[in-house]
Amino acid sequence: MSNSEPIISIVCPCYNEQAVLTIFMERISSVLQETGYNYEVILINDGSKDDTLSVMESLREQDHHVRTVNLSRNFGKEAALTAGLDLARGEVIIPIDADLQDPPELIHDFLREWNKGFDVVVAKRVDRSTDSWAKKLSAELFYKFHNAVAHVEIPENVGDFRLINRRVLKAIQLLPENQRFMKGIFSWVGFKTSVVEYKRESREAGETSFNGWKLWNFALDGITSFSTAPLRIWLYIGSVISAFAFLYLSITVIKTLIFGIDSPGYASLITVILFLGGVQLIGIGVLGEYVGRLYMESKRRPSYIVESDKYQDAPEEKQND
Ligand code: UDP
Ligand code: MG
């Protein structure tokens, strides 16, 4: 690696962030300059509907550290982040949100831990008071459930804001799936990890794009990507229901032998039929969820498409790629 290459790569996915990008760049640049390392800031425009792209481009014109990557449409945060990771050239890579909820000043702590020899430094939120109660509750339930059923544990209240070194990045790139649940992937690869704590700020400007339904689907992605427990549980649900059915059958036989034939119960019959029908449909639904993901994965489509990628010395660097 030549001297002109960046040591730190900041990876920042941006979706409708025109209101915050300039102040984001101001804050992160002053932190990065203090570190004394050469750096690059990769801004990925994830198909924004506002003027994010032109703001990004003008930032690049003012500052040669900025690299602007424009995806061909909105691919979602996980894909945008993956694009940035794939293009990063630094020795350490730091994914960060554009909205300044992740304080750039924490990068100093990241680098301190990295210099101690850690491969990964994660940022753990000690205070989620800036999140709504619904988000806090759903996040907590998600972590509890996910960690109970999945083989890899995702540390609670740890987001994508972290430092990873090139070794970890290479490991992440070995995972070929195109539906990338990054929180899980980051945890899955392991490595020597240090934790620094911080207080999560509220959004500097603009709006969150993760609400209700999107978060629910995100949680489903997470659980189905890293666990088959929801499939396996049907074995046990089925066994328990069969055991009950057998018990009920035995009771009925004995009752009939002793008391003769009782009047048939329409209500109990219909209840059992509806209950079992419902249970079976839920089971098929869960199965469908996995089959759907299998189907999407089997297409082997790339996670994202880059429309343009601009940075200083680009043509020369691209030959090296
Ligand atoms: N983001 C993105 N693509 C999307 C949605 C979000 O690149 O489709 C980016 C967004 O610009 C921000 C980060 O992902 O930098 C986190 O998004 P947001 O702040 O909306 O999520 P929250 O912090 O509320 O979880
Ligand atoms: Mg945010």
Side-chain angles (χ1 to χ4, degrees), residues 234 237-238 241 273-285:
W234 291 96
I237 294 177
I241 292 179
I273 289 174
L274 287 179
F275 173 71
L276 286 182
V279 167
Q280 281 168 356
L281 285 179
I282 297 172
I284 294 171

Side-chain angles (χ1 to χ4, degrees), residues 17 77 97-102 131 135 200-205 207-210:
E17 302 286 9
K77 184 186 173 186
D97 285 359
D99 56 13
L100 289 170
Q101 285 194 287
D102 308 327
D131 282 348
K135 190 155 185 182
R200 190 152 169 93
E201 306 291 335
S202 44
R203 227 175 202 284
E204 183 70 31
E207 271 170 29
T208 174
S209 37
F210 287 92

